[in-house]
Amino acid sequence: MLHALTYAFIDSINVLLIAVVVALGLMLPAGRYRWITPLLIIGDWLGVAVLALGVLFVFDGLGDKIKTLVESPLFGVLLILTGIATAVMTWRGGDSSALVDRILRPLRTPSMMTVATGFVLGAIQSVTSGPFFLGLAVLSAGGLPTLDRYLGLILYASVALSLPTLVAILVGLVRLNPTSWLGGMFQRARDNREVF
């Protein structure tokens, strides 16, 4: 299980969700951030968990094929290619401000649309993430009892959302104590929104 959670932690580097959380911290008036951001994170967690449940079910159905893949040199090649692709995409970066703006529209007030937006973000992030699938393959092939594997998805989805959740908490702390050094950095970002 621990090996599978390593991949979930790699999957937690969800740049888009982190950008949306920081943008919410910059734009929302006092009081709304603490209602909207948790709903967004809960929705994202549900998106990751539901997709993980479906993928694990399919992988379990493939049984020995998944176990053979995880134990083969091909799995190592997939890990290397995933690492290279992640590094290249991170290095190249790109301007996602238009996408973030589109995502922010339904997040101005807390509602079921906030949860739904998080759900879609979680599902899209996971379905486009190599570490997400590799971790579930390891979990499926790990030899854990069925109940433990499926209950483990709660932890798997939680670890996959650990970094965005930490960022959301830090942004919330900055909003509570804007005079801290972190608050000063956040205020500079708020004053220069067009740069960020």
Side-chain angles (χ1 to χ4, degrees), residues 21-97:
V21 166
V22 171
L24 288 173
L26 289 170
M27 69 174 222
L28 290 176
R32 281 213 189 139
Y33 179 85
R34 71 174 160 234
W35 295 108
I36 292 172
T37 306
L39 290 175
L40 179 69
I41 298 287
I42 288 168
D44 204 285
W45 186 91
L46 288 171
V48 171
V50 167
L51 186 63
L53 179 64
V55 170
L56 185 60
F57 183 76
V58 170
F59 284 178
D60 282 355
L62 294 172
D64 288 338
K65 292 177 183 173
I66 292 295
K67 186 169 184 166
T68 302
L69 172 66
V70 169
E71 294 171 352
S72 74
L74 177 60
F75 194 75
V77 171
L78 288 172
L79 287 177
I80 292 168
L81 291 176
T82 299
I84 291 170
T86 302
V88 168
M89 288 169 50
T90 302
W91 180 70
R92 287 184 66 201
D95 184 16
S96 61
S97 57

Side-chain angles (χ1 to χ4, degrees), residues 3-196:
H3 191 196
L5 292 177
T6 304
Y7 296 102
F9 184 72
I10 294 168
D11 190 38
S12 76
I13 305 169
N14 184 338
V15 178
L16 181 58
L17 180 59
I18 291 169
V20 169
V21 166
V22 171
L24 288 173
L26 289 170
M27 69 174 222
L28 290 176
R32 281 213 189 139
Y33 179 85
R34 71 174 160 234
W35 295 108
I36 292 172
T37 306
L39 290 175
L40 179 69
I41 298 287
I42 288 168
D44 204 285
W45 186 91
L46 288 171
V48 171
V50 167
L51 186 63
L53 179 64
V55 170
L56 185 60
F57 183 76
V58 170
F59 284 178
D60 282 355
L62 294 172
D64 288 338
K65 292 177 183 173
I66 292 295
K67 186 169 184 166
T68 302
L69 172 66
V70 169
E71 294 171 352
S72 74
L74 177 60
F75 194 75
V77 171
L78 288 172
L79 287 177
I80 292 168
L81 291 176
T82 299
I84 291 170
T86 302
V88 168
M89 288 169 50
T90 302
W91 180 70
R92 287 184 66 201
D95 184 16
S96 61
S97 57
L99 179 59
V100 170
D101 285 342
R102 235 179 306 145
I103 293 168
L104 289 174
R105 282 186 204 129
L107 300 179
R108 303 207 185 265
T109 56
S111 67
M112 284 309 294
M113 193 61 182
T114 309
V115 177
T117 301
F119 185 93
V120 170
L121 280 175
I124 289 172
Q125 166 68 18
S126 296
V127 85
T128 58
S129 169
F132 174 81
F133 289 102
L134 295 173
L136 290 171
V138 167
L139 182 59
S140 178
L144 289 171
T146 303
L147 183 61
D148 291 350
R149 278 198 313 274
Y150 284 89
L151 286 176
L153 291 179
I154 296 169
L155 186 57
Y156 191 87
S158 299
V159 171
L161 265 293
S162 59
L163 193 55
T165 302
L166 177 62
V167 169
I169 291 168
L170 289 175
V171 170
L173 290 174
V174 165
R175 290 176 62 99
L176 286 175
N177 188 9
T179 58
S180 67
W181 68 270
L182 192 57
M185 288 176 44
F186 196 79
Q187 186 59 46
R188 281 193 295 280
R190 177 178 272 188
D191 293 341
N192 297 292
R193 282 183 213 187
E194 65 282 351
V195 175
F196 297 95

